[in-house]
Amino acid sequence: MVTNLNMSDQDLLSLFKGGDTAAFKMIYERYWQLLYVSACKVLKDEEEAKDVVQEVFISLLNKGATLEINVSFSSYLYTAVRYKVFDYISRKKVRQDHLDTLDNYVSAGNLCTDHALLEKEINDEMEKEIQNLPEKMRIVFELSRKAELSHKEIADILNISDKTVKKQINNAIKLLKPKFINHYFLLF
């Protein structure tokens, strides 16, 4: 049972992994506000930032004893929040793109059921293939293609080089392109 408020992160983590719920509560109280401020700076929306931070703590709670951390605990938490923020931005952008596409079809009067259904199936398949990319490659690809960030912006956000960003995107395209080359002609 946690009794020392000045306990180190490593000690708290060990107790938490051992099933001590008071240790989890102390971790939560120690980091929630800091992580929230970090998420809020990027998202510019308090409710979205709260949701992201809650997701990180729920994930932490679910991992429990199986949690493996190879960096400092605070670095682990900040990185988890950063990835959740990027994932949230990416999902939000995809949803908005789908709504915009639907709006364009309806307003242009081009709502052809067969064509729209085929496009939806291809988009769903493409999204599934994107989700199957290695995690870091997927994040870089989604930030580039869905969030429409430049290589430099992505490099700054992820603390990697522009060259790494470009290579990750090229590798993602090489993996995805062969799977969809035939679908391109079906749409046009």
Side-chain angles (χ1 to χ4, degrees), residues 13-118:
L13 186 58
S14 293
L15 289 170
F16 164 65
K17 288 174 74 170
D20 188 334
T21 55
F24 177 79
K25 183 178 183 212
M26 187 173 270
I27 291 168
Y28 183 88
E29 290 171 356
R30 184 176 287 181
Y31 282 101
W32 191 92
Q33 186 70 32
L34 297 168
L35 297 174
Y36 166 74
V37 169
S38 178
C40 220
K41 283 180 184 177
V42 177
L43 293 172
K44 310 274 190 266
D45 183 293
E46 292 178 6
E47 291 305 312
E48 290 173 357
K50 285 178 187 175
D51 290 345
V52 163
V53 174
Q54 288 305 106
E55 284 182 38
V56 168
F57 278 108
I58 288 169
S59 175
L60 183 68
L61 192 57
N62 289 337
K63 289 178 183 174
T66 63
L67 185 65
E68 290 296 323
I69 298 177
N70 299 325
V71 294
S72 73
F73 188 54
S74 60
S75 293
Y76 173 84
L77 290 173
Y78 280 105
T79 301
V81 166
R82 186 170 54 192
Y83 282 128
K84 286 284 184 196
V85 164
F86 297 144
D87 190 47
Y88 184 84
I89 290 169
S90 177
R91 284 183 299 183
K92 188 175 177 181
K93 175 75 171 130
V94 169
R95 280 192 301 270
Q96 189 58 50
D97 285 350
H98 285 298
L99 289 174
D100 290 347
T101 300
L102 184 59
D103 266 354
N104 290 340
Y105 270 115
V106 171
S107 58
N110 293 331
L111 191 58
C112 171
T113 307
D114 291 340
H115 184 76
L117 183 59
L118 179 61

Side-chain angles (χ1 to χ4, degrees), residues 173-182:
I173 291 170
K174 284 179 187 175
L175 290 172
L176 295 171
K177 189 175 181 180
K179 297 176 183 188
F180 297 100
I181 195 73
N182 294 331

